[in-house]
């Protein structure tokens, strides 16, 4: 299974399909084929591995795969049927497929007399597939809300200036998180106030090879010379204040990892709507005072309504702190 996980890393991190790896063993336990999924429209990991064997080469074999074999026809046929047709007699997988259409492969295999073992290295694969599994289970992208603030919770000084609250190390981590996201979301207020480029950049300011799609939410017009228009990807405008509507549209467009970067009004709206899976909070050792809070109204009217978080990690980034947290009801995968 660890080899299957390593193979899965070869697949593309972005897109609507999960990264999956497969190892096929002969009856003596010798590895006879390996495969992984290379993206939409390509062979799934199991079929990729089977394709490397002669027609009867998988008779009596065991297939070890990171995700439950699919049981539906999409761009390709069902992997459950491919394994049955190949004569595989045992399938071992880590995590069940939560998809309404694609799930059910284990039941199909068992019905055909194939031995099925599940849950092997499940925690590790849950962590690896966290973004995709969230999208599959909830029917929406996995959403991270980020903000940077002073220790007293201010995102800007009294005059609205906010560059820079945090130092270079913290800002570079943000660029790494942008790179790992399918879309980066801000409100029109942030575009008008800060004129961000919303790109992912390296230490020297160079554009990284992978860039998130910039998404601007709100009804206000932004200047035609705004920096966001120089982004490598076209700007996606969401002309609404309904964040649930925004999330539905992003999911329909195939985005599975969404990074909400600002500002306070937009971040608060996502939190109030219960649409946050992870918080990326950067704290600078400084005090600003005033009314420019990192968050506004999130629907907490009394202490009993507080939105408690579970801290996943705290990390020193130069002089700043990076706090990763999740809503308390969510079990941090891989912890």
């Amino acid at each position: 299974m660890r080899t299957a996980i390593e193979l899965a890393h070869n697949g593309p991190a972005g897109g609507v399909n999960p990264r999956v790896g497969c190892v096929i063993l002969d009856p003596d336990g010798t590895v006879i084929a390996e495969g992984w999924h290379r993206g939409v429209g390509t062979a799934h990991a199991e079929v990729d591995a089977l394709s490397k064997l002669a027609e009867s080469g998988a008779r009596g074999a065991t297939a070890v795969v990171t995700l439950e074999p699919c049981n539906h026809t999409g761009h390709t046929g069902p992997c459950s049927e491919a394994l049955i047709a190949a004569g595989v007699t045992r399938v071992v997988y880590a995590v069940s497929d939560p998809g309404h259409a694609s799930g059910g492969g284990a039941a199909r295999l068992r019905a055909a007399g194939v031995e099925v073992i599940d849950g092997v290295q499940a925690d590790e694969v849950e962590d690896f597939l966290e973004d995709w599994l969230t999208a599959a289970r909830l029917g929406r992208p996995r959403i991270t809300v980020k903000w940077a603030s002073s220790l007293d919770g201010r995102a800007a000084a009294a005059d609205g200036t906010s560059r820079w609250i945090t130092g270079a190390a913290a800002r570079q981590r943000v660029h790494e998180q942008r790179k790992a996201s399918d879309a980066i979301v801000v409100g029109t207020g942030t575009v008008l106030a800060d004129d961000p480029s919303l790109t992912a950049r390296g230490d020297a300011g160079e554009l990284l090879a992978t860039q998130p799609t910039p998404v601007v939410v709100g009804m206000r017009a932004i200047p035609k010379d705004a920096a966001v228009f120089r982004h490598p990807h076209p700007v996606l405008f969401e002309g609404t204040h309904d964040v649930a509507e925004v999330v539905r549209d992003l999911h329909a467009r195939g985005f599975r990892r969404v990074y909400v970067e600002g500002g306070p009004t937009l971040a608060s709206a996502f939190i109030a709507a219960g649409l946050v899976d992870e918080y990326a909070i950067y704290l600078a050792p400084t005090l600003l005072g005033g009314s420019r809070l990192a968050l506004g109204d999130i629907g907490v009217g009394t202490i009993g309504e507080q939105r408690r978080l579970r801290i996943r990690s705290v990390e020193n980034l130069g002089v700043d702190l990076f706090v990763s947290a999740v809503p308390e009801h969510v079990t941090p995968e891989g912890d």
Side-chain angles (χ1 to χ4, degrees), residues 161-180:
T161 55
S162 60
R163 295 184 179 181
W164 297 102
I165 291 176
T166 54
R171 296 197 298 274
Q172 190 54 46
R173 177 61 60 83
V174 170
H175 285 289
E176 293 169 5
Q177 292 180 326
R178 288 179 177 182
K179 176 187 174 184

PDB file of all heavy atoms in Angstrom, residues 161-180:
ATOM      1  N   THR A 161      -4.276  50.870   5.846  1.00  0.00           N
ATOM      2  CA  THR A 161      -3.060  50.256   5.316  1.00  0.00           C
ATOM      3  C   THR A 161      -2.800  48.923   6.013  1.00  0.00           C
ATOM      4  O   THR A 161      -3.014  48.769   7.214  1.00  0.00           O
ATOM      5  CB  THR A 161      -1.855  51.179   5.502  1.00  0.00           C
ATOM      6  OG1 THR A 161      -1.734  51.528   6.888  1.00  0.00           O
ATOM      7  CG2 THR A 161      -2.018  52.449   4.682  1.00  0.00           C
ATOM      8  N   SER A 162      -2.308  47.958   5.221  1.00  0.00           N
ATOM      9  CA  SER A 162      -2.082  46.626   5.788  1.00  0.00           C
ATOM     10  C   SER A 162      -0.787  45.976   5.295  1.00  0.00           C
ATOM     11  O   SER A 162      -0.496  44.849   5.684  1.00  0.00           O
ATOM     12  CB  SER A 162      -3.256  45.709   5.420  1.00  0.00           C
ATOM     13  OG  SER A 162      -3.389  45.585   4.019  1.00  0.00           O
ATOM     14  N   ARG A 163      -0.013  46.653   4.454  1.00  0.00           N
ATOM     15  CA  ARG A 163       1.243  46.095   3.954  1.00  0.00           C
ATOM     16  C   ARG A 163       2.420  46.692   4.703  1.00  0.00           C
ATOM     17  O   ARG A 163       2.630  47.909   4.622  1.00  0.00           O
ATOM     18  CB  ARG A 163       1.388  46.382   2.462  1.00  0.00           C
ATOM     19  CG  ARG A 163       0.328  45.674   1.611  1.00  0.00           C
ATOM     20  CD  ARG A 163       0.584  45.913   0.154  1.00  0.00           C
ATOM     21  NE  ARG A 163      -0.388  45.231  -0.687  1.00  0.00           N
ATOM     22  CZ  ARG A 163      -0.381  45.250  -2.021  1.00  0.00           C
ATOM     23  NH1 ARG A 163       0.557  45.942  -2.654  1.00  0.00           N
ATOM     24  NH2 ARG A 163      -1.277  44.622  -2.715  1.00  0.00           N
ATOM     25  N   TRP A 164       3.238  45.911   5.368  1.00  0.00           N
ATOM     26  CA  TRP A 164       2.989  44.492   5.575  1.00  0.00           C
ATOM     27  C   TRP A 164       2.855  44.241   7.061  1.00  0.00           C
ATOM     28  O   TRP A 164       3.717  44.661   7.835  1.00  0.00           O
ATOM     29  CB  TRP A 164       4.122  43.666   5.006  1.00  0.00           C
ATOM     30  CG  TRP A 164       4.291  43.812   3.519  1.00  0.00           C
ATOM     31  CD1 TRP A 164       5.205  44.540   2.854  1.00  0.00           C
ATOM     32  CD2 TRP A 164       3.495  43.170   2.514  1.00  0.00           C
ATOM     33  NE1 TRP A 164       5.058  44.410   1.489  1.00  0.00           N
ATOM     34  CE2 TRP A 164       4.005  43.564   1.265  1.00  0.00           C
ATOM     35  CE3 TRP A 164       2.402  42.303   2.555  1.00  0.00           C
ATOM     36  CZ2 TRP A 164       3.454  43.116   0.069  1.00  0.00           C
ATOM     37  CZ3 TRP A 164       1.865  41.855   1.368  1.00  0.00           C
ATOM     38  CH2 TRP A 164       2.399  42.266   0.149  1.00  0.00           C
ATOM     39  N   ILE A 165       1.828  43.514   7.455  1.00  0.00           N
ATOM     40  CA  ILE A 165       1.690  43.115   8.857  1.00  0.00           C
ATOM     41  C   ILE A 165       2.655  41.985   9.161  1.00  0.00           C
ATOM     42  O   ILE A 165       3.338  41.991  10.189  1.00  0.00           O
ATOM     43  CB  ILE A 165       0.231  42.691   9.151  1.00  0.00           C
ATOM     44  CG1 ILE A 165      -0.699  43.903   9.092  1.00  0.00           C
ATOM     45  CG2 ILE A 165       0.137  42.027  10.533  1.00  0.00           C
ATOM     46  CD1 ILE A 165      -2.157  43.556   9.279  1.00  0.00           C
ATOM     47  N   THR A 166       2.722  41.012   8.268  1.00  0.00           N
ATOM     48  CA  THR A 166       3.598  39.861   8.487  1.00  0.00           C
ATOM     49  C   THR A 166       4.889  40.005   7.683  1.00  0.00           C
ATOM     50  O   THR A 166       4.996  40.828   6.779  1.00  0.00           O
ATOM     51  CB  THR A 166       2.892  38.565   8.079  1.00  0.00           C
ATOM     52  OG1 THR A 166       2.431  38.686   6.729  1.00  0.00           O
ATOM     53  CG2 THR A 166       1.709  38.288   8.996  1.00  0.00           C
ATOM     54  N   GLY A 167       5.862  39.167   8.019  1.00  0.00           N
ATOM     55  CA  GLY A 167       7.166  39.214   7.378  1.00  0.00           C
ATOM     56  C   GLY A 167       7.247  38.351   6.136  1.00  0.00           C
ATOM     57  O   GLY A 167       6.280  37.705   5.704  1.00  0.00           O
ATOM     58  N   ALA A 168       8.469  38.294   5.570  1.00  0.00           N
ATOM     59  CA  ALA A 168       8.697  37.632   4.284  1.00  0.00           C
ATOM     60  C   ALA A 168       8.409  36.135   4.341  1.00  0.00           C
ATOM     61  O   ALA A 168       7.853  35.568   3.398  1.00  0.00           O
ATOM     62  CB  ALA A 168      10.134  37.871   3.832  1.00  0.00           C
ATOM     63  N   ALA A 169       8.790  35.479   5.436  1.00  0.00           N
ATOM     64  CA  ALA A 169       8.585  34.026   5.523  1.00  0.00           C
ATOM     65  C   ALA A 169       7.104  33.676   5.510  1.00  0.00           C
ATOM     66  O   ALA A 169       6.683  32.727   4.838  1.00  0.00           O
ATOM     67  CB  ALA A 169       9.254  33.474   6.783  1.00  0.00           C
ATOM     68  N   ALA A 170       6.316  34.457   6.245  1.00  0.00           N
ATOM     69  CA  ALA A 170       4.869  34.209   6.263  1.00  0.00           C
ATOM     70  C   ALA A 170       4.263  34.471   4.891  1.00  0.00           C
ATOM     71  O   ALA A 170       3.422  33.703   4.405  1.00  0.00           O
ATOM     72  CB  ALA A 170       4.198  35.075   7.323  1.00  0.00           C
ATOM     73  N   ARG A 171       4.689  35.533   4.249  1.00  0.00           N
ATOM     74  CA  ARG A 171       4.133  35.853   2.931  1.00  0.00           C
ATOM     75  C   ARG A 171       4.501  34.787   1.900  1.00  0.00           C
ATOM     76  O   ARG A 171       3.701  34.475   1.020  1.00  0.00           O
ATOM     77  CB  ARG A 171       4.614  37.230   2.477  1.00  0.00           C
ATOM     78  CG  ARG A 171       4.124  38.362   3.384  1.00  0.00           C
ATOM     79  CD  ARG A 171       4.244  39.711   2.701  1.00  0.00           C
ATOM     80  NE  ARG A 171       5.605  40.081   2.366  1.00  0.00           N
ATOM     81  CZ  ARG A 171       6.444  40.692   3.189  1.00  0.00           C
ATOM     82  NH1 ARG A 171       6.067  40.983   4.432  1.00  0.00           N
ATOM     83  NH2 ARG A 171       7.666  41.025   2.793  1.00  0.00           N
ATOM     84  N   GLN A 172       5.684  34.204   2.028  1.00  0.00           N
ATOM     85  CA  GLN A 172       6.056  33.152   1.088  1.00  0.00           C
ATOM     86  C   GLN A 172       5.221  31.897   1.310  1.00  0.00           C
ATOM     87  O   GLN A 172       4.865  31.202   0.344  1.00  0.00           O
ATOM     88  CB  GLN A 172       7.543  32.812   1.214  1.00  0.00           C
ATOM     89  CG  GLN A 172       8.055  31.903   0.101  1.00  0.00           C
ATOM     90  CD  GLN A 172       7.749  32.461  -1.285  1.00  0.00           C
ATOM     91  OE1 GLN A 172       7.953  33.641  -1.561  1.00  0.00           O
ATOM     92  NE2 GLN A 172       7.232  31.607  -2.170  1.00  0.00           N
ATOM     93  N   ARG A 173       4.876  31.600   2.560  1.00  0.00           N
ATOM     94  CA  ARG A 173       4.006  30.458   2.820  1.00  0.00           C
ATOM     95  C   ARG A 173       2.645  30.677   2.162  1.00  0.00           C
ATOM     96  O   ARG A 173       2.038  29.732   1.630  1.00  0.00           O
ATOM     97  CB  ARG A 173       3.839  30.244   4.324  1.00  0.00           C
ATOM     98  CG  ARG A 173       2.874  29.095   4.685  1.00  0.00           C
ATOM     99  CD  ARG A 173       3.320  27.748   4.162  1.00  0.00           C
ATOM    100  NE  ARG A 173       4.619  27.391   4.691  1.00  0.00           N
ATOM    101  CZ  ARG A 173       4.791  26.823   5.895  1.00  0.00           C
ATOM    102  NH1 ARG A 173       3.746  26.543   6.649  1.00  0.00           N
ATOM    103  NH2 ARG A 173       5.994  26.527   6.323  1.00  0.00           N
ATOM    104  N   VAL A 174       2.158  31.892   2.181  1.00  0.00           N
ATOM    105  CA  VAL A 174       0.901  32.197   1.509  1.00  0.00           C
ATOM    106  C   VAL A 174       1.001  31.877   0.025  1.00  0.00           C
ATOM    107  O   VAL A 174       0.083  31.300  -0.570  1.00  0.00           O
ATOM    108  CB  VAL A 174       0.501  33.672   1.726  1.00  0.00           C
ATOM    109  CG1 VAL A 174      -0.682  34.052   0.833  1.00  0.00           C
ATOM    110  CG2 VAL A 174       0.152  33.922   3.185  1.00  0.00           C
ATOM    111  N   HIS A 175       2.123  32.238  -0.594  1.00  0.00           N
ATOM    112  CA  HIS A 175       2.296  31.939  -2.014  1.00  0.00           C
ATOM    113  C   HIS A 175       2.300  30.435  -2.260  1.00  0.00           C
ATOM    114  O   HIS A 175       1.764  29.959  -3.282  1.00  0.00           O
ATOM    115  CB  HIS A 175       3.577  32.570  -2.539  1.00  0.00           C
ATOM    116  CG  HIS A 175       3.475  34.047  -2.737  1.00  0.00           C
ATOM    117  ND1 HIS A 175       2.725  34.608  -3.752  1.00  0.00           N
ATOM    118  CD2 HIS A 175       3.997  35.097  -2.042  1.00  0.00           C
ATOM    119  CE1 HIS A 175       2.798  35.926  -3.680  1.00  0.00           C
ATOM    120  NE2 HIS A 175       3.567  36.245  -2.655  1.00  0.00           N
ATOM    121  N   GLU A 176       2.873  29.669  -1.356  1.00  0.00           N
ATOM    122  CA  GLU A 176       2.856  28.216  -1.490  1.00  0.00           C
ATOM    123  C   GLU A 176       1.433  27.689  -1.386  1.00  0.00           C
ATOM    124  O   GLU A 176       1.049  26.759  -2.120  1.00  0.00           O
ATOM    125  CB  GLU A 176       3.745  27.588  -0.409  1.00  0.00           C
ATOM    126  CG  GLU A 176       5.224  27.900  -0.568  1.00  0.00           C
ATOM    127  CD  GLU A 176       6.039  27.492   0.643  1.00  0.00           C
ATOM    128  OE1 GLU A 176       5.454  26.875   1.568  1.00  0.00           O
ATOM    129  OE2 GLU A 176       7.244  27.801   0.679  1.00  0.00           O
ATOM    130  N   GLN A 177       0.642  28.277  -0.489  1.00  0.00           N
ATOM    131  CA  GLN A 177      -0.749  27.845  -0.361  1.00  0.00           C
ATOM    132  C   GLN A 177      -1.571  28.262  -1.577  1.00  0.00           C
ATOM    133  O   GLN A 177      -2.478  27.532  -1.999  1.00  0.00           O
ATOM    134  CB  GLN A 177      -1.346  28.407   0.927  1.00  0.00           C
ATOM    135  CG  GLN A 177      -0.723  27.797   2.175  1.00  0.00           C
ATOM    136  CD  GLN A 177      -1.309  28.364   3.451  1.00  0.00           C
ATOM    137  OE1 GLN A 177      -1.669  29.526   3.523  1.00  0.00           O
ATOM    138  NE2 GLN A 177      -1.406  27.519   4.470  1.00  0.00           N
ATOM    139  N   ARG A 178      -1.280  29.411  -2.136  1.00  0.00           N
ATOM    140  CA  ARG A 178      -1.952  29.810  -3.373  1.00  0.00           C
ATOM    141  C   ARG A 178      -1.664  28.791  -4.476  1.00  0.00           C
ATOM    142  O   ARG A 178      -2.567  28.366  -5.204  1.00  0.00           O
ATOM    143  CB  ARG A 178      -1.480  31.195  -3.818  1.00  0.00           C
ATOM    144  CG  ARG A 178      -1.966  32.359  -2.978  1.00  0.00           C
ATOM    145  CD  ARG A 178      -1.407  33.668  -3.533  1.00  0.00           C
ATOM    146  NE  ARG A 178      -1.898  34.839  -2.811  1.00  0.00           N
ATOM    147  CZ  ARG A 178      -1.594  36.088  -3.124  1.00  0.00           C
ATOM    148  NH1 ARG A 178      -0.784  36.321  -4.149  1.00  0.00           N
ATOM    149  NH2 ARG A 178      -2.078  37.105  -2.428  1.00  0.00           N
ATOM    150  N   LYS A 179      -0.393  28.433  -4.613  1.00  0.00           N
ATOM    151  CA  LYS A 179       0.008  27.485  -5.654  1.00  0.00           C
ATOM    152  C   LYS A 179      -0.736  26.159  -5.509  1.00  0.00           C
ATOM    153  O   LYS A 179      -1.088  25.513  -6.514  1.00  0.00           O
ATOM    154  CB  LYS A 179       1.520  27.241  -5.576  1.00  0.00           C
ATOM    155  CG  LYS A 179       2.019  26.196  -6.569  1.00  0.00           C
ATOM    156  CD  LYS A 179       3.482  25.866  -6.329  1.00  0.00           C
ATOM    157  CE  LYS A 179       3.935  24.730  -7.230  1.00  0.00           C
ATOM    158  NZ  LYS A 179       5.332  24.313  -6.960  1.00  0.00           N
ATOM    159  N   ALA A 180      -0.987  25.742  -4.280  1.00  0.00           N
ATOM    160  CA  ALA A 180      -1.639  24.458  -4.023  1.00  0.00           C
ATOM    161  C   ALA A 180      -3.154  24.515  -4.185  1.00  0.00           C
ATOM    162  O   ALA A 180      -3.834  23.515  -3.961  1.00  0.00           O
ATOM    163  CB  ALA A 180      -1.290  23.973  -2.616  1.00  0.00           C
TER     164      ALA A 180
END
